[in-house]
Amino acid sequence: MTLLEFFNLVLPSEGIYCLATRSSTNGKWYNESFRSVAKLAEACARIAHTKDVWYGTATYKHEKQYDAKHDTNRFHRTMANVDKLKALRLDIDVGKPDTYANAKEAVMALYKFVEATALPLPYVVSSGYGLHVYWALTQAITLEEWLPMANKLRALCIGKELLVDSTTTIDATRVLRPVGAFNFKRDTKRPVRCVAEGVITSAQAIDAILTKAAEPYTEYLKLSRNLGKYDARFAIPDANIDPVLLKMLQTSDEIIEDAKRFAEPIIKGCQQVREAGRQSEPTWHRMISLMKYCENYEEFIHQLSAIDERYDSGVTQDKIDSTQMMPVTCSEFNSLRPDVCQSCQHWQVISTPLQLGIKTIDIPVKVEYTPPPPPIELPKETMFDVPNMVPSETRYISLEGWKHNSFEVRESGIFKKVPNRDGDEKLVKVCKHVLTPLQERYDANRDLTSLWVIGEDKTDTSMLVEVPNRLYHESSQLVAFFAAKGVQWEDKTGSKSFSEYIRAVTSDARDKGLLMNIPAYNRLGWGDNYEFVLGDKVIMPDGTILDYPNMPLGGLEKEVRAVGDLQAWVSAANTLYADPKDARAALIFLHAFSSPLMHFFRDAEATLTFVVGESGVGKSTIAKVMHSVWMAPPNFAKGAGDKNSSTGATMNSLFRSASVLHNLPFYIDEATLWDTGDVKSYVFDITSGREKSRLTDSIRQRDAGEWHTQAIATANESLCDKLMVVENGDATAQLYRVIEFNLQGVSTGPVHERAIHTMLANYGVAGVQYARFLVKNAASGRLQQVLDANVQKYVEEFSFTQPERYWRAWAVSILTGMELSRAAGLHNIPAQTIVEEVKTVIQEQRQRLKDFEESKTTWFAHMYNSIRENTLIVADMPDIHANGRTIKGAVYTPTREILARVNTSTGIIEVSKKAINNWCGRHGVNKAAFYKEVMKHTSPEDEIQFVRDVNVIFGYGVAGMDSTTARIPCLRVQMKPEDLEETIAIPTTTDTE
């Protein structure tokens, strides 16, 4: 796309156009006007290769206007001068805080947004360090038509969580980089180019789509002087407004007593008041009735009136003196100019603009601090960073003493302020409950919700209520929702006032920055910014622990918590696992610390450790001790994956739990009864780190859960043995994904029993300590450095290959987790002992795989020798021919069913597939793997060379034998005749006697 084509696409065909440049020294903007698109493109192309250049995204009314400040005529790139626009647009940054990590991520989010909103495909421009997105229109539209559409698009982006520069979306005067220019940021020269073409759409069509899609997000519609019914004469600030009035409006907020009303916040907050001077007499009169209740009202009324050419100071003063009426209400203003009030953020929240004149007392936030646990002894020398052990923080809003324009909260309940005829207020009780917001967050479906506390007790989780924010726009639904939670109102009007209170508190708390827009963590472990989620606590990189109650963690938020004494837990852990003879038990235990490190491995999503041992050796006990690092010792549902299990533990339910645990270890108890036909699928699903997509009850595709962790399964029988006899395919790929070892037993006795009891009683405390070290070292980059160094170290020491990537990830995470947890002071397990034990386990995996591969090379010989007494042995008879064919003579004829035929002259062996299948079944060999193993031997150098599948009549062409038997499906292979007897035992007469 050329520069001129781009301008013709996004700019009106006529008007005054703007080109903008910027000083490299002081950052000052320079705007230049042009009368045609061609002239704009020409000027832009002339300088685009040497400096940054921008274009105005609108056309303007006037090429020159008088500038009183500089006493000259010049071009003004202001909202008041904007004429028409021909595109809606978004500005998406990448690589900055609170933006997308890269352009690919931004593009994926954009197209997901387009699909979800049913918007037409946009034109996408790469600006060098971000994206500019355009919905080009078929015809140019006025600013008055464009602004409401842009406002809906902005609200839609916020509601759908598309990370954009919201200001750009609704700023008609914004300049952007054109296609064909270059971005010279950071001493680079990156081209600005169109990377995706879209669909040109009519303004009517796209407005209809935006109106429908933005309906659930009207709370995000930006209320501005320039939105709704627009009149450029009343833009603030603007040269058309008297400088004295402008100065008044710029007066900083001050503490205002309850008895006083101040004009500044009313003028700032009410468009009707700002514009009343130029409106009809009824609107102007009602403005006067309102302002008379404010301090210094005469000065403000005169300034608001003087902006109109009809202004007469005497007439205005007479009107002020004669006006004796109640302050105008929002409903009265709305009846005069409804297009203004109904787009106001205060609409149906306040009853009169006079309420804006009271300075709202800020909502106070109380912070409760929980001191960190007593320090434990840490190693004097460590390769890791030591985190700050700061107090934990629990924050909550307290509405006691809070005074709003419309509401007041007291111990006895919520009260609404209702104006009297004399301008004073009385308090009318709305309800006896106090409702306090805690947080705003996005739930698992990416919908915005708010967490509220009903009552006075901020710590009682039974009083927590999560409210979908979409209910805020439907008063009846909002009231019904809280009524179902037990909220009661004083009278019939109380329910309406209650919904106004909910919206007012939410709006005020948002304005004060008290309601953090946070993701509703629906999984444990790592967040997006190196924070670590443990139940209703989030450990931050700076060491603080924040309280995030009522997170949607499937009930695990009640289990993953810290109870007890850390020092007692550490002492017990050293009792159990400091002895080198318990190294294998310690290896299982260390999965608690290695599992979160799987987050940093991208070529192995999850690993599966399979522990084999007789019942009673302590497998489940070690698993409970391992879980005590993070949570209350669980009662494991036995037999997950067993089709005949009576516990209800299915693999699907296990995978849902795994997706919530996410970076914490998950355990499968009693995997002995896994069906042989399912083990291949189970191994693949567990180690792929993602559950299969399934439909919900409403026939919608449910998001598949993911995990990056280590799974541990225990059983009385080998999983690998089952893998090697699965019915479909070779087991080699699955064997590379499994780490299996035997557990013979663990140390026992009263001391060990007390240690186990101590660890299970003091659960979760070690996880908090370890998570502090995790987030500190992850955020500083130290953890990644250690992992990278250990990968290189152990790849060299253990000689890992690419197919062994799951073993490599398991070994490196185990050994790194051991180092980090030792640095956190959580145990004194001998490091070298664990290194040697890991090395032994890896050697066991390799030997098992080697034995499996070698066994496959002898399958055919073993199979044939099992049926050699059912083999017809023939040899060519060169002197006898029939129809050009060589007649074969029988060397050995079996007395039982013929299952194979061997020609000793040619070395050709033909074996019944029925016999092969029976042998595979008896010996637990995968049939497909058997045929695959034979078929891959196809060169003359192979001892046994595959020829093809054939249908054979065993007696055909053999002298003296009946050739009328049916054709039998066989496998034909070729051997060297001289090697035949050495490889395959040829039966003799003696063998059958």
Side-chain angles (χ1 to χ4, degrees):
M1 179 181 293
T2 65
L3 183 61
L4 185 58
E5 289 172 342
F6 172 74
F7 283 151
N8 286 328
L9 176 71
V10 299
L11 288 174
S13 58
E14 58 183 11
I16 306 299
Y17 303 89
C18 173
L19 181 146
T21 56
R22 200 172 189 182
S23 170
S24 59
T25 55
N26 59 18
K28 182 179 179 181
W29 285 97
Y30 296 94
N31 303 304
E32 186 177 0
S33 60
F34 298 88
R35 290 181 173 272
S36 71
V37 171
K39 292 290 185 181
L40 173 69
E42 180 182 348
C44 182
R46 191 166 54 247
I47 62 174
H49 285 269
T50 58
K51 62 188 299 185
D52 286 309
V53 62
W54 294 263
Y55 78 101
T57 52
T59 56
Y60 296 85
K61 301 173 184 176
H62 308 290
E63 187 175 13
K64 302 289 183 181
Q65 287 178 294
Y66 180 70
D67 184 350
K69 180 178 179 180
H70 298 91
D71 192 23
T72 185
N73 289 320
R74 66 188 185 94
F75 173 75
H76 288 253
R77 180 166 59 86
T78 61
M79 192 74 81
N81 195 27
V82 169
D83 185 16
K84 293 184 178 181
L85 302 98
K86 198 187 167 192
L88 297 169
R89 62 277 196 295
L90 302 175
D91 185 6
I92 304 179
D93 288 327
V94 299
K96 299 179 181 179
D98 300 323
T99 66
Y100 296 106
N102 51 55
K104 180 179 179 182
E105 184 178 326
V107 169
M108 292 177 64
L110 171 64
Y111 282 105
K112 183 178 179 181
F113 169 81
V114 170
E115 181 179 3
T117 57
L119 284 167
L121 287 176
Y123 286 80
V124 182
V125 173
S126 170
S127 64
Y129 291 96
L131 301 177
H132 294 162
V133 182
Y134 295 89
W135 280 273
L137 305 177
T138 54
Q139 292 182 334
I141 57 177
T142 64
L143 178 62
E144 185 175 3
E145 296 170 319
W146 182 87
L147 275 169
M149 294 170 60
N151 194 23
K152 295 170 193 173
L153 179 60
R154 174 188 178 275
L156 198 53
C157 291
I158 297 174
K160 293 292 186 182
E161 285 190 283
L162 184 65
L163 304 179
V164 303
D165 180 351
S166 297
T167 306
T168 300
T169 310
I170 58 173
D171 185 0
T173 66
R174 185 57 57 107
V175 293
L176 296 174
R177 298 177 188 272
V179 169
F182 292 86
N183 191 325
F184 292 86
K185 281 183 181 178
R186 306 171 194 172
D187 296 323
T188 62
K189 185 180 180 181
R190 294 191 175 184
V192 179
R193 55 194 178 88
C194 181
V195 295
E197 294 192 356
V199 178
I200 302 175
T201 313
S202 68
Q204 295 79 7
I206 200 167
D207 186 44
I209 296 171
L210 287 169
T211 300
K212 181 179 180 181
E215 192 171 287
Y217 309 111
T218 54
E219 63 183 306
Y220 299 123
L221 291 175
K222 182 174 179 62
L223 281 307
S224 164
R225 60 187 179 273
N226 297 320
L227 299 179
K229 183 173 179 58
Y230 178 78
D231 189 332
R233 293 173 298 177
F234 312 121
I236 295 179
D238 189 90
N240 294 325
I241 302 296
D242 187 278
V244 177
L245 179 59
L246 281 178
K247 185 175 180 180
M248 292 176 177
L249 297 183
Q250 294 165 0
T251 302
S252 60
D253 292 335
E254 54 185 291
I255 299 177
I256 299 174
E257 298 176 8
D258 292 346
K260 296 182 178 181
R261 306 293 194 281
F262 281 69
E264 293 95 327
I266 297 176
I267 298 172
K268 286 182 180 180
C270 181
Q271 183 180 347
Q272 296 276 25
V273 172
R274 292 197 303 272
E275 300 174 358
R278 288 192 181 273
Q279 304 304 319
S280 63
E281 197 277 340
T283 303
W284 177 59
H285 188 196
R286 280 164 176 76
M287 178 271 291
I288 294 175
S289 74
L290 177 75
M291 300 305 289
K292 280 195 69 174
Y293 287 89
C294 298
E295 296 290 312
N296 304 317
Y297 63 86
E298 288 189 0
E299 182 180 1
F300 282 98
I301 292 174
H302 278 284
Q303 293 297 334
L304 288 169
S305 303
I307 63 176
D308 189 82
E309 58 188 13
R310 296 168 293 176
Y311 171 70
D312 182 285
S313 61
V315 173
T316 301
Q317 187 62 48
D318 289 342
K319 181 66 73 173
I320 294 172
D321 295 338
S322 62
T323 298
Q324 300 290 335
M325 58 188 296
M326 288 184 64
V328 65
T329 65
C330 294
S331 296
E332 289 180 90
F333 263 149
N334 183 60
S335 65
L336 296 169
R337 297 175 69 210
D339 54 332
V340 175
C341 288
Q342 292 180 17
S343 62
C344 175
Q345 62 180 330
H346 305 296
W347 177 244
Q348 294 186 338
V349 174
I350 61 175
S351 57
T352 171
L354 187 64
Q355 292 171 308
L356 299 175
I358 305 173
K359 181 176 175 63
T360 297
I361 298 176
D362 285 349
I363 297 177
V365 175
K366 294 185 177 180
V367 182
E368 294 181 353
Y369 294 98
T370 303
I376 61 175
E377 185 178 353
L378 302 178
K380 295 181 180 179
E381 295 183 3
T382 175
M383 68 182 74
F384 294 100
D385 299 329
V386 177
N388 301 319
M389 296 298 175
V390 299
S392 304
E393 296 181 5
T394 301
R395 297 173 177 263
Y396 59 86
I397 293 171
S398 174
L399 293 179
E400 296 174 10
W402 173 64
K403 293 183 179 179
H404 184 262
N405 298 327
S406 304
F407 296 95
E408 189 170 318
V409 178
R410 298 183 176 181
E411 283 189 21
S412 55
I414 302 168
F415 294 82
K416 183 173 182 178
K417 301 174 182 178
V418 179
N420 291 326
R421 296 193 62 85
D422 58 4
D424 293 333
E425 294 174 335
K426 66 177 181 179
L427 295 179
V428 177
K429 193 169 186 178
V430 176
C431 69
K432 63 181 180 180
H433 302 281
V434 176
L435 287 90
T436 309
L438 286 182
Q439 296 169 348
E440 268 191 329
R441 61 198 188 195
Y442 293 94
D443 66 11
N445 296 320
R446 309 303 293 169
D447 294 325
L448 190 65
T449 63
S450 300
L451 198 64
W452 290 75
V453 175
I454 301 178
E456 292 295 323
D457 187 359
K458 310 295 188 299
T459 61
D460 185 357
T461 56
S462 66
M463 302 297 287
L464 291 176
V465 176
E466 192 161 7
V467 187
N469 279 26
R470 55 182 170 79
L471 298 184
Y472 287 3
H473 313 296
E474 298 290 341
S475 295
S476 59
Q477 294 183 28
L478 185 66
V479 167
F481 178 89
F482 278 102
K485 306 299 181 182
V487 177
Q488 299 176 356
W489 296 274
E490 295 297 312
D491 53 37
K492 293 181 179 179
T493 61
S495 60
K496 179 181 178 182
S497 298
F498 174 79
S499 61
E500 294 174 1
Y501 165 79
I502 294 294
R503 288 191 287 266
V505 174
T506 301
S507 176
D508 203 18
R510 281 183 191 149
D511 291 345
K512 304 298 186 301
L514 303 181
L515 291 183
M516 295 182 295
N517 250 353
I518 61 172
Y521 294 107
N522 58 1
R523 62 194 190 188
L524 298 161
W526 295 103
D528 295 332
N529 297 296
Y530 297 118
E531 73 274 30
F532 202 86
V533 181
L534 284 179
D536 59 3
K537 308 291 183 185
V538 179
I539 293 90
M540 306 304 290
D542 63 359
T544 58
I545 302 179
L546 303 181
D547 192 45
Y548 282 34
N550 209 42
M551 283 297 176
L553 297 171
L556 283 174
E557 69 278 2
K558 299 177 181 178
E559 304 297 326
V560 181
R561 53 197 177 98
V563 174
D565 180 68
L566 178 60
Q567 186 60 63
W569 187 93
V570 172
S571 177
N574 288 331
T575 298
L576 287 179
Y577 302 121
D579 192 331
K581 69 180 182 181
D582 288 315
R584 194 144 286 198
L587 192 58
I588 302 172
F589 167 70
L590 287 172
H591 283 71
F593 304 114
S594 58
S595 293
L597 302 183
M598 290 300 298
H599 173 78
F600 298 91
F601 291 89
R602 292 301 169 225
D603 58 351
E605 291 78 6
T607 62
L608 172 59
T609 303
F610 205 84
V611 182
V612 182
E614 297 179 357
S615 299
V617 300
K619 302 187 298 294
S620 297
T621 300
I622 298 173
K624 286 187 176 182
V625 170
M626 175 191 69
H627 278 80
S628 75
V629 171
W630 300 107
M631 65 184 75
N635 293 316
F636 302 118
K638 297 181 180 294
D642 173 17
K643 294 179 179 178
N644 300 315
S645 172
S646 60
T647 66
T650 66
M651 289 304 283
N652 286 332
S653 65
L654 179 75
F655 290 158
R656 288 308 293 170
S657 296
S659 66
V660 176
L661 289 166
H662 193 58
N663 299 126
L664 302 190
F666 73 94
Y667 177 67
I668 308 165
D669 196 20
E670 293 294 346
T672 302
L673 299 178
W674 279 1
D675 186 79
T676 302
D678 293 328
V679 292
K680 177 184 175 183
S681 174
Y682 289 168
V683 168
F684 180 81
D685 290 342
I686 291 171
T687 56
S688 68
R690 183 179 178 86
E691 67 174 332
K692 296 176 180 177
S693 298
R694 295 187 291 127
L695 297 178
T696 63
D697 293 339
S698 58
I699 319 298
R700 294 173 57 191
Q701 191 82 1
R702 192 195 67 191
D703 291 338
E706 296 181 354
W707 52 89
H708 296 278
T709 185
Q710 292 181 334
I712 303 95
T714 58
N716 300 336
E717 299 174 359
S718 168
L719 172 71
C720 292
D721 287 350
K722 288 187 176 182
L723 278 173
M724 290 186 283
V725 297
V726 292
E727 292 296 322
N728 297 304
D730 195 352
T732 302
Q734 276 65 41
L735 290 174
Y736 273 123
R737 289 172 175 251
V738 176
I739 299 95
E740 179 179 296
F741 55 81
N742 292 319
L743 180 68
Q744 301 297 332
V746 296
S747 299
T748 58
V751 174
H752 290 81
E753 290 178 2
R754 284 195 298 271
I756 291 170
H757 176 76
T758 298
M759 295 183 75
L760 299 184
N762 295 276
Y763 57 85
V765 288
V768 174
Q769 174 82 352
Y770 186 58
R772 288 184 191 263
F773 275 77
L774 279 173
V775 298
K776 174 68 174 181
N777 286 274
S780 69
R782 184 63 179 147
L783 181 55
Q784 188 65 62
Q785 292 174 5
V786 174
L787 281 168
D788 292 343
N790 280 349
V791 167
Q792 183 176 355
K793 173 183 177 182
Y794 293 118
V795 164
E796 294 176 0
E797 184 172 342
F798 292 3
S799 301
F800 284 120
T801 62
Q802 177 58 25
E804 297 174 341
R805 63 187 184 278
Y806 287 91
W807 301 349
R808 180 189 64 209
W810 175 82
V812 173
S813 59
I814 287 284
L815 297 175
T816 307
M818 176 189 65
E819 294 171 357
L820 182 57
S821 52
R822 279 174 61 87
L826 297 177
H827 61 78
N828 286 322
I829 296 174
Q832 191 55 40
T833 299
I834 299 301
V835 172
E836 294 301 323
E837 197 65 34
V838 169
K839 186 178 295 185
T840 300
V841 169
I842 296 300
Q843 290 171 348
E844 291 174 2
Q845 312 314 305
R846 288 171 173 161
Q847 187 61 48
R848 180 183 295 109
L849 192 61
K850 180 181 178 183
D851 293 342
F852 176 64
E853 293 294 333
E854 288 181 350
S855 70
K856 293 191 295 184
T857 63
T858 60
W859 280 347
F860 186 84
H862 285 304
M863 182 280 305
Y864 171 76
N865 285 324
S866 71
I867 60 169
R868 64 194 186 97
E869 294 183 1
N870 298 75
T871 302
L872 172 65
I873 310 296
V874 301
D876 289 348
M877 302 174 66
D879 297 333
I880 305 175
H881 300 271
N883 298 326
R885 296 179 178 272
T886 301
I887 300 298
K888 304 173 181 64
V891 176
Y892 168 79
T893 303
T895 58
R896 57 188 71 180
E897 179 186 9
I898 299 176
L899 298 177
R901 182 172 72 180
V902 175
N903 189 324
T904 58
S905 300
T906 62
I908 291 177
I909 305 172
E910 294 153 331
V911 183
S912 162
K913 288 190 175 182
K914 174 183 176 182
I916 294 173
N917 294 342
N918 288 339
W919 182 86
C920 289
R922 290 195 307 272
H923 292 81
V925 173
N926 175 278
K927 290 183 292 187
F930 180 95
Y931 288 113
K932 182 179 178 181
E933 182 64 28
V934 174
M935 290 178 182
K936 76 180 183 181
H937 296 283
T938 58
S939 69
E941 289 74 23
D942 290 323
E943 193 172 67
I944 299 175
Q945 180 183 350
F946 169 72
V947 179
R948 65 179 185 274
D949 292 332
V950 293
N951 292 320
V952 175
I953 300 175
F954 286 129
Y956 181 76
V958 179
M961 292 194 67
D962 184 5
S963 62
T964 60
T965 57
R967 293 182 177 273
I968 299 173
C970 292
L971 185 72
R972 176 177 291 173
V973 299
Q974 172 76 62
M975 295 186 66
K976 296 177 181 178
E978 60 270 22
D979 296 335
L980 198 59
E981 293 187 10
E982 296 180 8
T983 306
I984 298 177
I986 304 297
T988 64
T989 306
T990 307
D991 293 330
T992 60
E993 291 178 352

